[in-house]
Amino acid sequence: MLIKILLLISTLILFPSQTFGENRASLVKENQLLREEWSLAKKPNLYVVFHLKEKRIQIKAKGISLREFPIHHVDFWGNNVPDQALALVKKSALVKPSRKTVRPGDMKESEDFTLDVLEIGDMPARYTLVLDNRVFISIRPSEGVTSKFGNTLSSLEDFLVRPAVTFWYAVRGKQYTALDLGLEKQDAKALYWSFTEGAKCIVYPQ
């Protein structure tokens, strides 16, 4: 009995009550997100799960993982991500994929007509997923010379713009979260292709 008491006292000394409180809050948040994901799994729609701690992204339907992408790096600014399912409001890219517009009368009868269908290869590899509740997830390719140049420019943006925007929303007392995720180029394109506007996602914190 005495040994158990001594062990308990040692535990309380080594792990103060604040740590227990933080762990409890983390568990509560994770349980809430699990309930949110369970709610999405009961529907037929595709949804996306970002596991920041495990550094992976899953595209899922009815609780089944259809595809998975590794995350090479994670950068974070602002508030914690809300513990609820978030809808994709829009995908913002410098160059958006587009089909060739064919107007009536532009083609001659003798010309062959090929259906212009967008494929995964046509998707951008660098873009921002704008979620509701002011959550922004920027996707960056993490390979290639061009990607390194683009990431250098993004790093300058992070150094100058991100802190200012984060401070601005903090002063106004409004929710703002920005995430930068590094993916392989083809994975970034596949995510853009799969994650449609209006679809839901779950973001598990680091």
Side-chain angles (χ1 to χ4, degrees), residues 36-107:
E36 291 283 318
E37 185 178 348
W38 172 247
S39 178
L40 294 179
K42 291 188 291 185
K43 301 174 183 178
N45 309 54
L46 288 176
Y47 60 95
V48 179
V49 182
F50 296 87
H51 297 275
L52 302 184
K53 188 175 182 179
E54 300 172 10
K55 290 190 174 181
R56 61 192 177 101
I57 301 171
Q58 291 179 302
I59 299 174
K60 304 180 77 173
K62 287 189 172 292
I64 300 173
S65 180
L66 304 178
R67 192 158 183 185
E68 185 171 312
F69 312 121
I71 303 174
H72 293 285
H73 73 262
V74 179
D75 291 323
F76 177 89
W77 291 267
N79 306 105
N80 291 327
V81 180
D83 52 352
Q84 64 186 69
L86 301 169
L88 177 60
V89 178
K90 67 176 181 178
K91 293 177 285 190
S92 177
L94 184 62
V95 180
K96 291 186 176 182
S98 60
R99 294 184 178 87
K100 181 180 178 181
T101 303
V102 179
R103 297 181 178 84
D106 287 349
M107 295 183 62

Side-chain angles (χ1 to χ4, degrees), residues 24-40 81-85 202-205:
R24 183 178 182 279
S26 178
L27 287 173
V28 170
K29 184 180 182 69
E30 185 173 356
N31 286 336
Q32 175 60 29
L33 289 171
L34 286 170
R35 285 193 291 268
E36 291 283 318
E37 185 178 348
W38 172 247
S39 178
L40 294 179
V81 180
D83 52 352
Q84 64 186 69
I202 300 288
V203 183
Y204 287 97

Side-chain angles (χ1 to χ4, degrees), residues 7-201:
L7 287 174
L8 177 60
I9 293 173
S10 301
T11 302
L12 291 173
I13 293 173
L14 294 173
F15 302 98
S17 59
Q18 182 179 357
T19 302
F20 285 115
E22 291 176 354
N23 289 340
R24 183 178 182 279
S26 178
L27 287 173
V28 170
K29 184 180 182 69
E30 185 173 356
N31 286 336
Q32 175 60 29
L33 289 171
L34 286 170
R35 285 193 291 268
E36 291 283 318
E37 185 178 348
W38 172 247
S39 178
L40 294 179
K42 291 188 291 185
K43 301 174 183 178
N45 309 54
L46 288 176
Y47 60 95
V48 179
V49 182
F50 296 87
H51 297 275
L52 302 184
K53 188 175 182 179
E54 300 172 10
K55 290 190 174 181
R56 61 192 177 101
I57 301 171
Q58 291 179 302
I59 299 174
K60 304 180 77 173
K62 287 189 172 292
I64 300 173
S65 180
L66 304 178
R67 192 158 183 185
E68 185 171 312
F69 312 121
I71 303 174
H72 293 285
H73 73 262
V74 179
D75 291 323
F76 177 89
W77 291 267
N79 306 105
N80 291 327
V81 180
D83 52 352
Q84 64 186 69
L86 301 169
L88 177 60
V89 178
K90 67 176 181 178
K91 293 177 285 190
S92 177
L94 184 62
V95 180
K96 291 186 176 182
S98 60
R99 294 184 178 87
K100 181 180 178 181
T101 303
V102 179
R103 297 181 178 84
D106 287 349
M107 295 183 62
K108 298 178 181 178
E109 293 183 3
S110 59
E111 289 182 313
D112 293 331
F113 176 74
T114 303
L115 185 63
D116 186 16
V117 180
L118 291 175
E119 300 179 350
I120 292 180
D122 301 316
M123 301 298 110
R126 182 183 299 274
Y127 51 89
T128 298
L129 303 171
V130 181
L131 310 178
D132 52 11
N133 285 317
R134 296 189 191 88
V135 177
F136 303 85
I137 300 180
S138 296
I139 304 297
R140 301 176 180 177
S142 56
E143 59 185 21
V145 176
T146 304
S147 298
K148 289 181 180 178
F149 176 73
N151 290 343
T152 300
L153 295 179
S154 297
S155 296
L156 292 174
E157 177 188 358
D158 296 342
F159 182 76
L160 299 173
V161 179
R162 296 286 195 191
V165 174
T166 302
F167 177 76
W168 170 250
Y169 279 108
V171 168
R172 299 174 67 189
K174 293 188 175 182
Q175 157 72 29
Y176 170 78
T177 304
L179 294 166
D180 283 347
L181 307 182
L183 304 181
E184 293 183 13
K185 188 174 182 180
Q186 290 304 314
D187 290 346
K189 291 186 174 188
L191 178 61
Y192 188 99
W193 169 271
S194 306
F195 198 8
T196 58
E197 294 181 3
K200 296 289 186 71
C201 72

